[in-house]
């Protein structure tokens, strides 16, 4: 088991505002400090209602197009992964998120505004600690020609490959270690991406009304609609961002070598569930092995 690390929260409350990618309406998101062991919790404001939705795997209710959490009823908050990627990168384990919409604001389509906002709020190290997730055997999930694997490793690193039916996104791959510095400079600024034909179809259905070149990389049939990219391989870097944000729903720091091919939110969350299943089993076994018996087998036989 890896050495426990201190839990963290933010030093001061901050307010972030941006457009909801689907509604096109302004969303207000407030982040507040929290006590140790609070975890990450959303409070969704709907009129006079204040609905509590913890960020846990048990509360993930949808993974189509984005990761969505809910309270088991009709109350949901979607597109949480960009915010959580920044939260994970900065080691925040305890924080309250207050939001007045069912979707986290898209901001510029990346995690950079969240990362910068949290850093500006300051980070407070708490007295309590948390055990990083340690896996002892490879864990994988497969869906047809898509797969996602996590191998044991003392550091966090990733090998990610995408292969879309597009001349610029065939066989794009990226391998890197993922410490806080690299995540902050090479991954978190990568923007979400989509295809122009898909965006037009979504908007015809009243969705993606807030999507624009200000918050997404948009691909035409043979190129980019944007004037420039932040990285030559910005799309695959954003897939890594999504993966880190999705795995952050586990609520604990994690280490391992992630190997992904054409994965997405559904596989990300499936892997997270498999990881937690193995980790919980291992930790229970270790706990049981340390228990002191109240009497010996010889005494029990008398």
């Amino acid at each position: 088991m890896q050495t426990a690390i201190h839990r963290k929260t933010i030093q001061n409350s901050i307010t972030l505002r941006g457009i909801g990618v689907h509604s096109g309406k302004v969303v207000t998101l407030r982040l507040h400090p929290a006590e140790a062991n609070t975890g990450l919790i959303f409070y969704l404001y709907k009129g006079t209602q204040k609905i509590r939705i913890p960020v846990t795997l048990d509360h993930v209710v949808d993974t189509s197009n984005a990761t969505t959490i809910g309270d088991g009823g009709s109350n949901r908050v979607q597109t949480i992964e960009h915010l959580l990627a920044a939260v994970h990168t900065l080691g925040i384990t305890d924080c309250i998120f207050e939001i007045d919409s069912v979707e986290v604001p898209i901001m510029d389509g990346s995690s950079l505004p969240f990362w910068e906002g949290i850093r500006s709020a300051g980070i407070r190290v708490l007295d309590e600690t948390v055990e990083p997730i340690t896996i002892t055997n490879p864990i994988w999930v497969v869906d047809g020609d898509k797969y996602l694997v996590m191998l044991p490793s003392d550091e966090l690193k990733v090998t990610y490959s995408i292969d879309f039916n597009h001349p610029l996104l065939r066989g794009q791959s990226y391998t890197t270690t993922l410490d806080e510095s690299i995540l902050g400079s090479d991954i978190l600024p990568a923007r979400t991406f989509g295809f122009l034909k898909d965006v037009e179809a979504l908007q015809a259905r009243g969705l993606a009304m807030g999507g624009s070149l200000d918050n997404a990389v948009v691909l035409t049939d043979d190129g980019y609609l944007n004037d420039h990219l932040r990285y030559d391989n910005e799309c695959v870097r954003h897939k890594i961002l999504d993966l880190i944000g999705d795995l952050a729903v586990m609520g604990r720091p994690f280490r391992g070598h992630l190997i992904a091919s054409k994965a997405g939110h559904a596989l990300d969350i499936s892997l997270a569930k498999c990881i937690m299943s193995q980790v919980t089993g291992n930790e229970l076994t270790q706990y049981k092995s340390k228990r002191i018996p109240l009497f010996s087998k010889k005494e029990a036989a008398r």
Side-chain angles (χ1 to χ4, degrees), residues 199-211:
V199 173
E200 292 172 339
L202 286 169
Q203 290 181 338
R205 294 163 46 202
L207 300 173
M209 303 307 291

Side-chain angles (χ1 to χ4, degrees), residues 9-24:
T9 189
I10 58 174
Q11 189 73 42
N12 302 290
S13 297
I14 57 169
T15 299
L16 299 170
R17 289 187 177 88
I19 299 296
V21 70
H22 287 301
S23 68

